[in-house]
Amino acid sequence: MKSAPNLEDYATTYRSFSWNSVRRELDWFNHHINAAYNAIDRHTSTWRKNKVALYWHGEDDSRKKFTFEELSIASNKFGNILKDFGVSRGDRVFLFLPRVPDLFFAFLGTIKIGAIAGTLFSAFQEQALLDRLANSDAKVLVTNSELKKRVDKVRKKLPGLAHIITVDTDDYKKSFNHASAELSIAHMDPDDYAFMLYTSGTTGKPKGVVHTHRAILQEYMTARWVLDLKDEDVYWCTADPGWVTGIAYEILGSWACGVSAVIYEGRFDPKKWYEILESYKVTVWYTAPTAIRMLMVTDSNLLKKYDLSNLRHLCSVGEPLNPEAIKWSKKVIGLPFHDNWWQTETGAICIANYPSMKIKPGSMGKPIPGLTAAIVDDHGNEVGPNKEGNIALKPPWPSMMKTIWRRPLKYKSYFINGLYISGDRGMRDKDGYFWFIGRADDVIKTSGERVGPFEVESALVAHPAVVEAGVIGKPDPLRGEIIKAFVVLEKSQKPSEKLKNELSLYVKKHLAGHAYPREIEFIDKLPKTRSGKIMRRILKAKEMGLPIGDTSTLEEY
Ligand code: ATP
Ligand code: MG
């Protein structure tokens, strides 16, 4: 039987909700808290003690599972190992590992002793590692023998890095086995730092965003409201903890709900992904538009081979979700993807489509209860409905970043007129739904009109010949900028001038006369971050023959 969504009535909850009411749902030590304790350990004094928290699926198809109690013990042991190394509150412990169980033990154990956990995506190369480990002045790095080789190459330049823990060595395994399973949990001020990580680098040099223990309040509530997590769910978030989605909704918020989570170590692969959805009987699935677009163009017969009937709720984040993707999932899975918007800096979901609310395809939905969002001009004044402006949030909210590590001025630069300015442009319609237009830097000004790349890309993606598109403004003496589209075609399609014209006309017809791409270039692959976001700044720099800037998060392409 289908049970009611956790957030049954958005409008009423939005009007009456206060964050104080969440306090009671989490465990406090007087006025202190520990985020990792709330994610894992508090369940061990309930019936969830022996419930599976983690179904781990290796790249080689090996399987392991861990109960909440087992995760509690493993992370206690890791906390004790850190203490033996002299790690104390506030020290930075960085994790450079693939999605293996040790990564989760280490993240939780670090936070439990009051140190600051930092994550590094396992594909980072030397320069990316050096930048992040030097900026954060990490004291400990946790890695494996393979990845350690990259760190060794830059170690000399990291005088603050006192210890490297290599989790696949016999020495480490021995010390893990001998470590005490008992740990006294650090009682933290809600404003104390819990974790930090660097942004995706889509628009420029990644920023070291720092989050507090208090963030768990919003991570937990949004996992309930937006992901709709319930005790009977099997939940799969495909993100990597090197990015904020993997921290907030693969570790902290989702486990705070007591859910059984699947974690797959391997990379994106349509067949593998469908196998995982089927064999673990996944009910709630949280993924990203880039993966959805890739699934949309894989042979539709593949999907038909799998039983995905346990799925009941689908969510997407990280990039604008093309309406075509929602159409697709409704058709082939029988469920729409629910888009939601947030940033590394916001620490948790801020604007979302809820299971109980009507979806307007292409819209990010409405702000979560307990948060005020607005569309404002560059001075922080609200603009009216259907007008383009900055997507802004009213501070504070529980998971708001505490600072940008060692860049106080950068932190300050986010705020105008008492509002947090996200750097994204959007608009709000008369019904209160928010629509994403583009990153502030990506919005195109053509013949006096402003055009968001997302709508042009979505119009192109709706054409059957197109897999993906990246759209930029190209300087033009006459029009200021013209719209240029880089288009990836379906395998069976042959690039031709005729097809270019057809695509231009298609956008003209389906979107707007002024918003069609005057120039189209077919390319094999779009430049993307390792978290799957289209890097329009690289398309633009290449087009204009300019330096391409920080490429530490660029996927090989
Ligand atoms: P950087 O700040 O280093 O340039 P980034 O902004 O991509 O990188 P993240 O914090 O990982 O780093 O991503 C947040 C951004 O992702 C948002 O500001 C927005 O541009 C985009 N985004 C996330 N979710 C959505 C969504 N649902 N719709 C549209 N855009 C989204
Ligand atoms: Mg950003």
Side-chain angles (χ1 to χ4, degrees), residues 198-207 243-245 289 316-321 339-345 351 364 414 422-424 436 438-439 454 529 531 533 537:
Y198 291 81
T199 54
S200 300
T202 315
T203 56
K205 197 172 172 58
K207 300 156 284 255
W243 316 114
V244 73
T245 306
S316 163
V317 73
E319 274 201 303
L321 180 65
D339 187 22
N340 54 75
W341 175 94
W342 58 296
Q343 308 177 293
T344 309
E345 295 90 331
I351 299 178
M364 310 184 291
Y414 282 86
S422 67
D424 286 344
F436 182 82
R439 311 237 184 194
F454 168 51
T529 63
S531 51
K533 296 163 191 267
R537 71 176 160 98

